Amino acid sequence: MALDIVIMAAGKGTRMKSALPKVLQRLAGRPLVQHVLDACADLQARRTVVITGFGAADVERAVAAPGVLCVRQEPQLGTGHAVQQAVPHLDDAGTTLVLNGDVPLIEPATARALAAACDGQRLALLTLELDDPSGYGRIVRDGAVVRGIVEHKDASPAQRAIREVYTGMMAAPTAALKRWLARLKNDNAQREYYLTDIVAMAVADGVPVVASAAQDETEVLGVNSPAQLADLERRLQRRRAEALLAAGVRLADPARIDIRGELVCGQDVEIDINCVFEGRVVIGDGARIGAHCVIRDSRIGAGARVQPFCDFQQAVIGEQAQVGPFARLRPGAELGPEVHIGNFVEVKNSTLARGAKANHLAYLGDSTVGERVNYGAGSITANYDGAAKHRTVLGNDVHVGSNCVLVAPVTVGDGATIGAGSVISKPAPAGQLTVARARQATVANWARPAKAKKP
Ligand code: UD1
Ligand code: MG
């Protein structure tokens, strides 16, 4: 049976008080509507139609993908009017699943069950019992049989007492849906075309209406305000933290971790509080991450130790390496096994071979660093001449003293020693001491100027 999906995403989201369309607000680093698309990904829909309106061009750019079609709804006259815009693109013979662009945590299994409950023959509504149903459309039943949905604003006091609510998601036989949509009117409190009015039409047509219960509240919660967005963020992060704990990862506090992408952990990984993971991060067996680290698109080898307050982006950290506290690894930083990077050290587009160390206040940019190199405190590569970047190559067992400037392009041979305070702009030969600084001199008979004595 052909399945088409309609995602309503035309609303402005006034209560967000933001210039960004609501469905592009970020939850766990991804636009809300992207979460909905992800949830649909394995439903094998024939087509997914996203209804855009407010900020349409931005939303359309964000959701562009094969199989996703955007249709504009201008002006926005209600949810029924929104789905009407998709009608020309829906296959009569199938099922249409209607989802909300601002209800991001819908479970794929729930969406699939809803489509299955319809099966091209029944009108299936996703519902939930809430302690506080205010604001939601209520499911009106006659005995066990669903008779319709009444919007909160149109409900009588007796109807407002109903706790079973419509979550905003439904699946309908497409041909019948098209018939019902064509008959919608806007004679209600909000002068809108309500999608929910099709329920009474289905009942009148003798089409069975089934209520399919959501698994939990979180998956049907919508985002209307910054407070609700923050609440969903914590719920989602809690879920992710619990999945990690269940997989054996030791989190110091499951309430204090943020995963805005994919975090893959080996065995016996320990993560201290307040770490943020973005993009794809892979952590090897037995690695430990200290508190307050921000790690994006990086790989951390087995047994590595990351001290608190580090910032990594597109970095690779070798097995048993030690990094931080306060280290910054920028794109292309590749640390071999047992490398040590200490406090206030920045590494960019550089490869450090096994056992190399830069322990204090240093910069390595566009460099190749050999095995066991010791890179002194306060030393930097001057890799940029104002127009182009140049490489610095340090052989194995090089010692660079403190406070050196390596003016790239430059090479230092294996086993060379660079004296502290040197500015190195020519090749330094292997195995020898190279010093490039003014010689120390002591000036004889020099006297410090004295202040004139007051009379
Ligand atoms: C809707 C349901 C209500 C349900 C609630 C669940 C209707 C009439 N009511 O009410 O029964 O309990 O969701 O959250 O459907 N949208 C458009 N175009 C429009 C209007 C809305 O694309 O013209 C989009 C919005 O961006 C949003 C979604 O449709 O993503 C729902 O619209 P919203 O105005 O929030 O509906 P509710 O009043 O919450
Ligand atoms: Mg709403």
Side-chain angles (χ1 to χ4, degrees), residues 8 10-11 73 76-79 82 100 102 136-137 151 166-167 194 196:
M8 295 183 289
Q73 180 201 16
Q76 288 103 49
L77 304 177
T79 52
N100 270 311
D102 63 352
Y136 286 91
E151 290 304 303
Y166 170 57
T167 62
Y194 290 165
T196 45

Side-chain angles (χ1 to χ4, degrees), residues 7-13 15 22-23 51-53 73 75-83 99-103 133 135-139 149-153 165-170 188 190 192-197 220-224:
I7 300 176
M8 295 183 289
K12 177 171 183 212
R15 279 174 288 164
K22 180 166 71 175
V23 295
I51 309 297
T52 62
Q73 180 201 16
Q76 288 103 49
L77 304 177
T79 52
H81 181 250
V83 180
L99 300 175
N100 270 311
D102 63 352
V103 182
Y136 286 91
R138 308 298 207 286
I139 305 294
I149 297 175
V150 58
E151 290 304 303
H152 181 93
K153 286 190 180 142
V165 306
Y166 170 57
T167 62
M169 292 169 265
M170 65 164 70
N188 52 53
Q190 304 187 79
E192 283 185 5
Y193 295 91
Y194 290 165
L195 178 62
T196 45
D197 284 350
V220 300
L221 285 177
V223 173
N224 298 295

Side-chain angles (χ1 to χ4, degrees), residues 100-113:
N100 270 311
D102 63 352
V103 182
L105 297 184
I106 181 72
E107 291 285 348
T110 302
R112 188 179 304 110

Side-chain angles (χ1 to χ4, degrees), residues 404-450:
C404 293
V405 179
L406 305 176
V407 183
V410 71
T411 56
V412 178
D414 288 349
T417 300
I418 305 297
S422 293
V423 175
I424 300 294
S425 53
K426 293 196 283 274
Q432 297 184 57
L433 170 66
T434 299
V435 185
R437 62 166 188 250
R439 270 186 190 280
Q440 181 168 327
T442 302
V443 179
N445 303 321
W446 179 84
R448 197 183 289 166

